[in-house]
Amino acid sequence: MLYLVGLGLSDETDITVKGLEVVKKAKRVYLEAYTSILLVDQSVLENYYGRSIIIADREMVEMHSDDILANAQTEDVAFCVVGDPFGATTHTDLVLRARELGIPVSNIPNASIMNGIGACGLQLYNFGQTVSMVFFTDNWRPASFYDRIKENRDIGLHTLVLLDIKVKEPNLESLARGRIVYEPPRYMTVGTCAQQMLEIETERGEKVYDENSLAIGAARVGCRDQVFVAGTLKELCDADETLGKPLHSLVLLGRRTHELENDFCRDFAVDKDKWQSIWAAEYQNKQ
């Protein structure tokens, strides 16, 4: 059996009882280590699980999935994923490959950012499409997120924005010279995300949102030290010091924000009076 085991959002204790039982009995245990991270070291996980762990980077999962699936017809293999295994579509290919080989697959779910973000006070029923924000470069500024946000806001829904992480990314200059040198890990912050969103709004000019659009920055959701900061997109450009270390996410409020949602979120506001004023003018009674 191939088991896809969700590890939750925070540390070694977030794994479910069922997931821990699988990990303890599996022949091999892999940890997918490129779509997200736990906030503890590999050694902490190994000590808690009582098992050695094989780190599965993007190259292994995408190019050498046969190594992961080897002998899984006759022995148990645990593929551990931060959050929930199907919180994103990233691991669908691995499941499809297992099916082609006649390997049974079992999914053990867990909390992910997709439901954990409800702790910011916004109701999960009122979220639209989730989008991703990548690091811009001098010649690459993908803006497909803008159209998805527009679709959400046209019907009044919130948008969860997942922020880019770069883990074990090859240096392109070295790669061009035939050498593989990996860049240090990078994790996008709410400030960078908010700034890039405003840059794209300036370029597109369709008034999907603006500097005064209300949003919530989130850091380390599900952890003991999780932090939320609410404010305008302009205010969130300067919120990184308050939010602290990775991982960060951002939510852009929809115009159907309920009064109870507003009351909850306002406690996180940089400027509570300003937040309330904008909400009353732009969001209240827009359902």
Side-chain angles (χ1 to χ4, degrees):
M1 178 82 75
L2 170 67
Y3 289 94
L4 275 66
V5 181
L7 298 184
L9 288 167
S10 178
D11 57 31
E12 72 279 9
T13 65
D14 281 351
I15 192 171
T16 65
V17 173
K18 183 182 293 185
L20 185 58
E21 289 175 349
V22 167
V23 166
K24 286 182 175 295
K25 74 173 185 177
K27 185 74 172 181
R28 300 190 308 281
V29 180
Y30 294 90
L31 173 63
E32 186 266 276
Y34 64 92
T35 59
S36 189
I37 58 167
L38 281 181
L39 301 180
V40 293
D41 293 333
Q42 176 183 348
S43 60
V44 176
L45 294 181
E46 291 179 328
N47 183 62
Y48 189 79
Y49 299 160
R51 296 297 310 278
S52 61
I53 294 174
I54 303 167
I55 297 297
D57 59 19
R58 184 187 297 272
E59 181 180 354
M60 175 182 284
V61 177
E62 295 182 352
M63 305 298 293
H64 303 288
S65 61
D66 287 349
D67 294 340
I68 298 173
L69 299 174
N71 301 319
Q73 294 94 336
T74 57
E75 57 192 28
D76 291 334
V77 175
F79 185 79
C80 299
V81 180
V82 177
D84 183 84
F86 291 110
T89 60
T90 307
H91 306 108
T92 302
D93 285 346
L94 184 64
V95 173
L96 292 176
R97 178 62 178 151
R99 288 179 179 174
E100 290 174 359
L101 297 172
I103 298 169
V105 179
S106 179
N107 173 53
I108 301 176
N110 208 321
S112 76
I113 189 62
M114 304 290 283
N115 54 17
I117 195 63
C120 76
L122 298 177
Q123 297 170 9
L124 295 178
Y125 286 143
N126 292 335
F127 278 77
Q129 303 168 87
T130 297
V131 303
S132 296
M133 175 71 71
V134 302
F135 284 109
F136 288 173
T137 66
D138 292 339
N139 52 14
W140 191 56
R141 297 164 59 86
S144 60
F145 70 87
Y146 187 86
D147 299 308
R148 304 290 81 76
I149 291 176
K150 183 178 188 302
E151 291 170 358
N152 288 344
R153 286 178 70 80
D154 283 347
I155 54 176
L157 299 179
H158 313 310
T159 302
L160 171 61
V161 186
L162 303 179
L163 310 192
D164 200 6
I165 69 172
K166 300 289 188 185
V167 179
K168 204 174 181 182
E169 293 285 329
N171 178 279
L172 296 182
E173 292 183 5
S174 299
L175 202 59
R177 298 189 181 98
R179 295 190 304 118
I180 299 179
V181 177
Y182 295 108
E183 299 280 6
R186 297 171 63 203
Y187 307 98
M188 183 180 286
T189 65
V190 162
T192 297
C193 176
Q195 182 60 50
Q196 291 187 174
M197 289 177 66
L198 292 175
E199 290 174 10
I200 295 301
E201 176 56 54
T202 299
E203 293 177 7
R204 296 284 292 267
E206 298 176 33
K207 298 182 179 180
V208 172
Y209 49 80
D210 59 31
E211 289 185 346
N212 288 317
S213 294
L214 298 182
I216 301 173
R220 300 173 305 285
V221 172
C223 302
R224 295 182 182 90
D225 64 344
Q226 71 178 6
V227 177
F228 298 108
V229 176
T232 64
L233 278 178
K234 184 176 181 180
E235 288 172 332
L236 291 186
C237 287
D238 300 314
D240 287 350
E241 184 175 348
T242 302
L243 287 165
K245 62 187 180 181
L247 294 170
H248 288 192
S249 304
L250 182 144
V251 181
L252 190 66
L253 265 67
R255 296 194 184 279
R256 290 168 53 184
T257 303
H258 190 275
E259 185 173 349
L260 291 177
E261 293 177 287
N262 176 62
D263 290 344
F264 197 117
C265 298
R266 188 174 60 241
D267 278 346
F268 303 128
V270 174
D271 183 330
K272 291 181 174 58
D273 291 337
K274 182 177 182 179
W275 173 280
Q276 184 62 30
S277 176
I278 293 174
W279 181 79
E282 300 294 335
Y283 296 80
Q284 191 174 24
N285 300 321
K286 296 296 191 297
Q287 299 186 54

